[in-house]
Amino acid sequence: MKITLKNAAEIIKNGELVAFPTETVYGLGADAWNTNAVKKTFQTKGRPADNPLIVHISRLEQVQALAIDIPHDFYSLADAFWPGPLTMVLKKHHTIPDIVTGRLTTVAIRMPDHPLAIALIDQTGPLTAPSANPSGKPSPTRAEHVDYDYNGEIPVLDGGATEIGLESTVLDLSTGQPEILRPGAVTRGMIEKIIKKNVHETGDTDFKSTKSPGTRYTHYKPAASVHWLEKLPVQYDTLAYYIIHSKSAPEESRNVHSYPGDLEGIARDLYDHFRTADHLNFPQIFVETLSPAVKTPIAKALLNRVDKAVGK
Ligand code: TXA
Ligand code: MG
């Protein structure tokens, strides 16, 4: 159900939920200080209570009420990447309701790069916002996805299609060793360049993090089974859905979607393709494999999300 900005702010202040656009995906917003409102977020999504939420802010000063012992690196990174697709985990201020952080002693914070999100938060104060999908499903990248997922019952601020299409990078700054818990559009290399420190990342051969509670659960899965495609077929199976990047499709058809050299385009449209394939009842989705040598910043996040959808 589409609503206006003024409406959205009123609904949040009344302790209800509003979906809103960010540059990554649509979030399901609630007043971060209102325990009951936040509780509705978990109920609506069917989200496990031990999977904490990101608190979204519109001005840097808001961090003071949310976190303690804030390291210098946080300010350098905020300066470089906010507003933008970087979530930073800090030690939590004791006044944040436990339900927000799944009882952890840390809190995840992000300033989204979207004028509607910023305007809304300016009126309401900090908002918790998980991706606005039912738990386990692909995140919404259009207002229509939210309407579809919740039968039009969730008020949604329509900002059109999101720009990046994959969720933010989650970076833990709560210990002495910065660690990426979820890859996104802001990469390890970009972060290291700013803080001039070595950053750990899950997937490093000698390092496996279990710190991000969300990574324990199924994610980003359409109803169709998703597979990596090692080699493009000579003839595309008309009963399968393809997303490819090394070549153009023979001719643009409803089941072969080609992004020659454009991984950002695949990232932007990935969840929309997952949803379209489901609507059209394709039982299988094939995504052309990415060479580990690819240096496009979004490649690591894209690999991670498709891996999860595949079921790895
Ligand atoms: O791009 C995004 O980050 C979107 C938009 C709406 O901002 N939000 C989003 O939220 O993806 P969600 O709830 O779907 O994913 C948040 C991730 C989860 O993996 C969660 O476990 C992790 O962040 N997280 C939240 N708080 C944390 C904390 N205190 N420590 C470690 N991980 C945390
Ligand atoms: Mg999510």
Side-chain angles (χ1 to χ4, degrees):
M1 182 209 337
K2 294 182 186 169
I3 52 161
T4 62
L5 182 60
K6 184 162 169 282
N7 245 254
E10 281 161 6
I11 296 169
I12 294 283
K13 286 179 195 157
N14 284 331
E16 299 294 329
L17 310 181
V18 169
F20 64 92
T22 78
E23 79 283 27
T24 58
V25 300
Y26 276 73
L28 185 60
D31 176 352
W33 301 113
N34 183 332
T35 305
N36 270 325
V38 177
K39 199 185 241 169
K40 286 176 197 161
T41 315
F42 285 89
Q43 287 163 348
T44 302
K45 280 182 60 86
R47 181 177 176 109
D50 65 352
N51 191 1
L53 306 177
I54 298 172
V55 179
H56 294 64
I57 61 173
S58 58
R59 281 170 289 123
L60 198 55
E61 310 86 80
Q62 290 165 328
V63 172
Q64 299 305 329
L66 299 168
I68 55 167
D69 298 345
I70 305 172
H72 181 72
D73 289 344
F74 166 85
Y75 291 102
S76 314
L77 291 167
D79 193 43
F81 301 114
W82 277 5
L86 175 66
T87 294
M88 292 189 265
V89 174
L90 301 172
K91 288 194 187 124
K92 114 191 226 297
H93 197 285
H94 67 93
T95 52
I96 301 179
D98 272 339
I99 187 171
V100 171
T101 59
R103 312 194 80 83
L104 294 177
T105 55
T106 55
V107 60
I109 306 174
R110 162 166 129 80
M111 188 189 289
D113 187 13
H114 196 292
L116 281 176
I118 295 294
L120 178 63
I121 300 164
D122 265 343
Q123 292 184 37
T124 59
L127 296 180
T128 51
S131 52
N133 51 290
S135 240
K137 293 287 165 198
S139 301
T141 54
R142 298 170 183 271
E144 292 74 21
H145 295 165
V146 180
D147 275 342
Y148 180 84
D149 284 347
Y150 297 103
N151 299 314
E153 280 164 24
I154 298 286
V156 51
L157 258 181
D158 188 357
T162 57
E163 219 177 287
I164 295 175
L166 301 180
E167 304 77 2
S168 63
T169 305
V170 179
L171 175 70
D172 186 4
L173 289 177
S174 70
T175 69
Q177 174 58 62
E179 180 182 325
I180 292 177
L181 305 179
R182 178 176 74 183
V186 174
T187 63
R188 171 179 12 206
M190 291 156 77
I191 293 166
E192 287 179 337
K193 207 165 160 190
I194 299 293
I195 63 176
K196 302 189 171 60
K197 268 184 204 160
N198 171 42
V199 172
H200 283 176
E201 185 161 23
T202 306
D204 290 358
T205 42
D206 55 344
F207 170 76
K208 178 104 185 104
S209 177
T210 49
K211 264 201 261 173
S212 193
T215 56
R216 285 200 294 272
Y217 300 104
T218 306
H219 270 309
Y220 323 120
K221 261 191 183 313
S225 65
V226 180
H227 310 270
W228 284 114
L229 182 67
E230 302 291 338
K231 200 166 165 280
L232 296 188
V234 178
Q235 189 116 43
Y236 294 95
D237 181 349
T238 53
L239 297 179
Y241 196 94
Y242 296 87
I243 303 167
I244 65 173
H245 56 80
S246 70
K247 274 197 196 145
S248 317
E251 62 198 54
E252 210 46 61
S253 58
R254 64 176 211 144
N255 69 319
V256 186
H257 300 272
S258 162
Y259 294 79
D262 179 19
L263 296 189
E264 264 127 17
I266 298 187
R268 188 187 63 231
D269 295 346
L270 183 74
Y271 296 146
D272 191 56
H273 280 307
F274 283 0
R275 287 165 178 270
T276 304
D278 281 352
H279 295 319
L280 298 174
N281 286 315
F282 283 98
Q284 289 182 310
I285 301 168
F286 290 100
V287 183
E288 187 180 356
T289 46
L290 307 174
S291 146
V294 186
K295 287 284 179 279
T296 315
I298 203 70
K300 183 135 195 172
L302 185 57
L303 197 90
N304 168 268
R305 301 313 191 276
V306 176
D307 263 350
K308 298 259 176 186
V310 167
K312 279 192 193 159

